[in-house]
Amino acid sequence: MNDLSSTPAIAPENPPRARKPDWIRVKAPTSQGYAETRKLMRDLKLNTVCEEAACPNIGECWTKKHATVMILGDTCTRACAFCNVKTGMPGRVDVDEPAHVAEAAAKLGLEHIVITSVDRDDLPDGGASQFVKVIEALRANTPNTTIEILTPDFRGKMRRAVEAIVTARPDVYNHNLETVPRLYPTIRPGARYYASLRLLEEVKRHDPSIFTKSGVMLGLGEQRLEVHQVMDDMRCADIDFLTMGQYLRPTPKHTEVMEFVTPQAFAAYGAIARAKGFLQVASSPLTRSSYHAGKDFAEMRAAREAQLTKAAQGGASR
């Protein structure tokens, strides 16, 4: 006779997805501004990370005519466990893409634009030259638009890629560390934590005046002290701006959410980051790399100017 009390429970084939807390929910996009932004991206054959990465803020940002353009196609050569961008062999680089990005910036009336890309390990320069061409097209067509780029790590090609892009002088150079070092083998297996830190150090070495920025996702199983150590590592690399947001699972095939971090915990992390000396910190469940990027850039630039003024006054009083 079987002892039913000792029979192991059979897990359902499709376990229910974790319910999102109220603070992470957003309304579906329905505004006219959203529709107009979407149409413009389609007309110019531009990809956006807003769509490809299933960003929860797309309704708010596109309503305000803010879109983060993703250059070099919609197919990535890597397969990170958190990312919703499709993986495979990318197509040829679109030679008209830089001009289309500049046209989009002009038509949207952007004061600040964020440009990112898929990983292109198949290209000799990792796609760095396309970033340069986009920056040059924006400078020629919308000279008053400040430019923020979010690049991959250019694995094996980093120094030349960074040198070329920094020479084109974006206003902000962003490269996300994404998570704590311990989780890299499972969350970001194609990348190396310290290589990403070196990339941001290399930016500052070439041009200390360019703002550097990096971000991490929380809720992947990281420990509090590990997050603090990442902050310290970033400050040692002289990173100016830290973003922290909640990881959201795009599909059941992606890595699961281990924790929904509370708004209060995000605020506490933000306070610690500011105390460590970052010029700008954005820390909330819905924070993403390009969320409110224009406003944050203006505040960061003002913070640096105030810092330089204070240092000059201190030197003059001696």
Side-chain angles (χ1 to χ4, degrees), residues 190-212:
R192 298 293 179 268
Y193 177 81
Y194 290 102
S196 286
L197 274 176
R198 283 197 298 273
L199 181 151
L200 290 157
E201 287 178 326
E202 193 75 7
V203 174
K204 285 291 190 182
R205 188 178 73 81
H206 280 290
D207 190 341
S209 70
I210 292 178
F211 291 98
T212 50

Side-chain angles (χ1 to χ4, degrees), residues 110-177:
L110 296 181
E111 296 180 358
H112 186 84
I113 188 170
V114 182
I115 309 295
T116 188
S117 80
V118 291
D119 279 286
R120 291 297 302 259
D121 297 312
D122 59 308
L123 298 176
D125 67 349
S129 59
Q130 190 76 341
F131 273 99
V132 171
K133 290 172 184 175
V134 168
I135 293 168
E136 290 173 345
L138 287 164
R139 293 292 186 219
N141 291 276
T142 56
N144 294 323
T145 300
T146 50
I147 301 170
E148 178 173 330
I149 59 164
L150 170 56
T151 77
D153 61 8
F154 300 115
R155 185 173 59 196
K157 310 149 187 171
M158 182 268 287
R159 287 189 175 176
R160 288 187 178 181
V162 167
E163 183 177 5
I165 293 172
V166 168
T167 300
R169 287 200 52 78
D171 296 282
V172 182
Y173 195 122
N174 186 359
H175 173 66
N176 287 330
L177 295 184

Side-chain angles (χ1 to χ4, degrees), residues 231 242 266-267 269-283:
M231 293 181 192
L242 167 63
F266 271 103
Y269 276 128
I272 291 167
R274 291 182 187 92
K276 289 180 181 290
F278 289 96
L279 280 177
Q280 183 73 357
V281 177
S283 180

Side-chain angles (χ1 to χ4, degrees), residues 34-54:
Y34 171 87
E36 291 172 352
T37 303
R38 186 176 187 275
K39 182 179 184 301
L40 179 62
M41 296 299 112
R42 296 291 182 277
D43 290 346
L44 293 174
K45 297 181 174 59
L46 293 174
N47 299 299
T48 69
V49 75
C50 319
E51 293 176 289
E52 302 299 334

Side-chain angles (χ1 to χ4, degrees), residues 1-156:
M1 181 174 165
N2 291 333
D3 181 2
L4 296 180
S5 64
S6 63
T7 302
I10 299 175
E13 291 185 8
N14 296 304
R17 297 180 70 175
R19 180 180 173 84
K20 293 178 183 177
D22 291 340
W23 65 74
I24 205 72
R25 297 184 187 184
V26 294
K27 294 181 180 179
T30 58
S31 70
Q32 181 180 346
Y34 171 87
E36 291 172 352
T37 303
R38 186 176 187 275
K39 182 179 184 301
L40 179 62
M41 296 299 112
R42 296 291 182 277
D43 290 346
L44 293 174
K45 297 181 174 59
L46 293 174
N47 299 299
T48 69
V49 75
C50 319
E51 293 176 289
E52 302 299 334
C55 179
N57 303 314
I58 188 170
E60 177 186 344
C61 293
W62 282 26
T63 294
K64 297 176 180 177
K65 305 292 184 73
H66 296 166
T68 299
V69 178
M70 188 174 75
I71 63 173
L72 294 165
D74 64 354
T75 305
C76 188
T77 54
R78 309 240 186 124
C80 295
F82 62 87
C83 184
N84 198 43
V85 176
K86 67 182 179 182
T87 302
M89 180 53 67
R92 285 187 292 182
V93 175
D94 181 1
V95 296
D96 296 322
E97 190 173 57
H100 289 166
V101 173
E103 185 178 347
K107 289 184 174 179
L108 292 171
L110 296 181
E111 296 180 358
H112 186 84
I113 188 170
V114 182
I115 309 295
T116 188
S117 80
V118 291
D119 279 286
R120 291 297 302 259
D121 297 312
D122 59 308
L123 298 176
D125 67 349
S129 59
Q130 190 76 341
F131 273 99
V132 171
K133 290 172 184 175
V134 168
I135 293 168
E136 290 173 345
L138 287 164
R139 293 292 186 219
N141 291 276
T142 56
N144 294 323
T145 300
T146 50
I147 301 170
E148 178 173 330
I149 59 164
L150 170 56
T151 77
D153 61 8
F154 300 115
R155 185 173 59 196

